[in-house]
Amino acid sequence: SLTHAVELKVYLMAHLLWDPAKDEKQLTDEFLQGYYGAAAPMIDAWYALVREQATNVRLTWNTGPEAPWLGLDAMNRGTELFEQAETVVAGDPVLEARVRRARLALDHQWVLDYSVYRREAEHAGKPFRGPPDAAQAVRDLTDTVLAETERTRDQAMTGVIRACVGGSYDAYLQRVTARATIKPGPLPPRFAELPRERVIDMDESLATVFGYAGASIVEDRKASNGMAMRVPRADQPSWAVQAKTTRISALGGYGRYHIYAVVRCEVQAENGQALVGGVWDDGSRQGLGAVSFPIGKPGPVPTQQDIDANPEIRFATISSGAAVTDGEYHTYDFGVYDLLNPNLSVWVGTTTGDMYVDRFILVREP
């Protein structure tokens, strides 16, 4: 957990179950001082920082391992706190190990949303105190977990990460590394011509990919950068790929946006909805709107020669209700929405075949 170490939770539960009248804050201070020594104030400040950041966010069972509600400022501050904590306990191997274990959640979040924080730092002109090399940071995180648990890799990750994401740790490692190291592909021409500050480009390095729901980051030669988010066919739309406003706020700020999704569908049915999508408010537990795109050919499939002559052909916008699909990427128009709070998600799903999502594109209305 980001907010409390397992050791602290066990300590609090044991004492409060024995005597519910005991003061939780006093017990917490008592534990932190006894367990972290001189690093106690820094660890306590980290917990307080996380609680403050999470106050306005509705966290659910399927929130996922990422904590996008922790912005760049909070992550930078958390890094400073742990660096201070490591300094004051240097030379004490027991306390060093405990601080290192407490820092795992911070290090994990850095690699999960590495590209988001990089882009936010560039967008806002702020410092970036995350690891300089994302791929190495993922390997370091694994080494730390193994050193702390003294188990095999799969055993170690069971209680640390694997339970949160489903599947094998190797598959998870590949997905996290891909998210952190992927380079953005070119925008469809008409979006590339817009002022940069109006466009939020959310590819697989910025969108949320739910591994437990079967989504994955895969190579796709048809995608703009050779990579895409694959959502397998399911009985119900899984919403396994989402663009969350916690990230949107960091990259362009809340506001009124025209939303698009660049998607291709490999239809395995003769009728039905090839693609559905919309915007969901997890705070009010209601949808703000939805769109659907039925199975059908949108028109003649352009040849590579056609695309080379006119790249816009490949990204011709398809509005809700228009027939699709030909197995090629198209830009789907989701409409205009007010994205004004951190509990919103733009989602896509399908029940009629495998779906590949290149990116979400959000254009701020003038």
Side-chain angles (χ1 to χ4, degrees):
S1 169
L2 278 165
T3 53
H4 290 96
V6 172
E7 298 89 350
L8 173 56
K9 285 184 176 179
V10 171
Y11 187 84
L12 288 173
M13 285 191 295
H15 282 272
L16 292 173
L17 285 171
W18 186 263
D19 182 2
K22 286 193 172 183
D23 183 82
E24 182 178 335
K25 180 63 169 66
Q26 183 178 346
L27 288 172
T28 299
D29 292 342
E30 179 182 282
F31 173 83
L32 293 177
Q33 188 60 48
Y35 195 73
Y36 293 108
M42 298 82 177
I43 303 299
D44 189 34
W46 162 243
Y47 291 156
L49 176 66
V50 173
R51 287 194 298 270
E52 178 187 359
Q53 294 294 304
T55 299
N56 297 319
V57 180
R58 187 177 188 276
L59 303 180
T60 63
W61 69 271
N62 67 341
T63 296
E66 298 99 337
W69 38 272
L70 275 175
L72 177 64
D73 291 339
M75 292 296 291
N76 283 340
R77 177 58 180 154
T79 300
E80 293 171 354
L81 288 170
F82 275 106
E83 287 175 351
Q84 293 170 16
E86 290 165 351
T87 299
V88 298
V89 300
D92 186 323
V94 173
L95 294 182
E96 284 181 340
R98 290 174 180 174
V99 170
R100 187 165 56 247
R101 189 180 304 118
R103 183 171 175 160
L104 278 173
L106 176 75
D107 292 340
H108 189 207
Q109 178 58 23
W110 270 124
V111 299
L112 283 174
D113 275 343
Y114 190 85
S115 295
V116 180
Y117 295 129
R118 275 288 190 194
R119 292 199 200 179
E120 183 179 353
E122 294 171 1
H123 178 80
K126 295 180 177 180
F128 175 84
R129 304 196 187 283
D133 185 318
Q136 184 60 49
V138 175
R139 293 190 289 269
D140 291 344
L141 179 67
T142 301
D143 292 342
T144 300
V145 171
L146 293 175
E148 291 300 313
T149 59
E150 297 183 351
R151 305 175 188 174
T152 64
R153 178 156 69 177
D154 273 349
Q155 288 175 328
M157 302 318 297
T158 297
V160 181
I161 296 173
R162 190 176 174 187
C164 296
V165 299
S168 71
Y169 177 64
D170 284 334
Y172 173 72
L173 185 66
Q174 182 275 333
R175 189 165 77 250
V176 171
T177 304
R179 277 175 56 88
T181 58
I182 285 172
K183 304 300 182 184
L187 282 166
R190 71 175 176 280
F191 296 109
E193 294 171 359
L194 293 173
R196 181 180 176 184
E197 62 272 13
R198 286 187 58 202
V199 180
I200 300 177
D201 177 19
M202 300 190 71
D203 59 12
E204 56 278 345
S205 66
L206 299 179
T208 298
V209 181
F210 290 101
Y212 75 85
S216 58
I217 297 175
V218 299
E219 293 184 2
D220 182 8
R221 63 180 182 79
K222 293 183 177 182
S224 61
N225 63 350
M227 303 294 291
M229 296 167 276
R230 177 180 177 270
V231 180
R233 180 180 183 178
D235 292 335
Q236 296 291 329
S238 66
W239 299 20
V241 172
Q242 301 178 14
K244 293 185 173 293
T245 49
T246 42
R247 295 190 175 111
I248 292 168
S249 65
L251 298 172
Y254 295 129
R256 188 169 179 81
Y257 286 90
H258 203 138
I259 300 173
Y260 304 86
V262 181
V263 182
R264 73 179 185 89
C265 299
E266 294 187 346
V267 172
Q268 300 160 19
E270 294 182 358
N271 52 58
Q273 302 301 325
L275 167 67
V276 293
V279 179
W280 175 259
D281 187 337
D282 210 34
S284 63
R285 305 297 295 164
Q286 64 181 3
L288 301 187
V291 290
S292 63
F293 304 88
I295 291 174
K297 303 294 185 182
V301 178
T303 66
Q304 188 59 51
Q305 184 176 2
D306 293 332
I307 293 173
D308 291 341
N310 182 12
E312 189 72 8
I313 291 176
R314 184 176 176 185
F315 298 99
T317 300
I318 298 177
S319 299
S320 178
V324 69
T325 186
D326 54 7
E328 299 296 325
Y329 278 104
H330 297 283
T331 301
Y332 295 92
D333 188 343
F334 279 32
V336 178
Y337 295 86
D338 290 319
L339 305 180
L340 303 175
N341 73 70
N343 296 306
L344 305 180
S345 299
V346 182
W347 59 273
V348 289
T350 182
T351 61
T352 54
D354 293 346
M355 179 174 66
Y356 294 81
V357 184
D358 183 72
R359 73 230 296 168
F360 296 95
I361 300 173
L362 294 89
V363 180
R364 182 184 279 273
E365 291 286 278

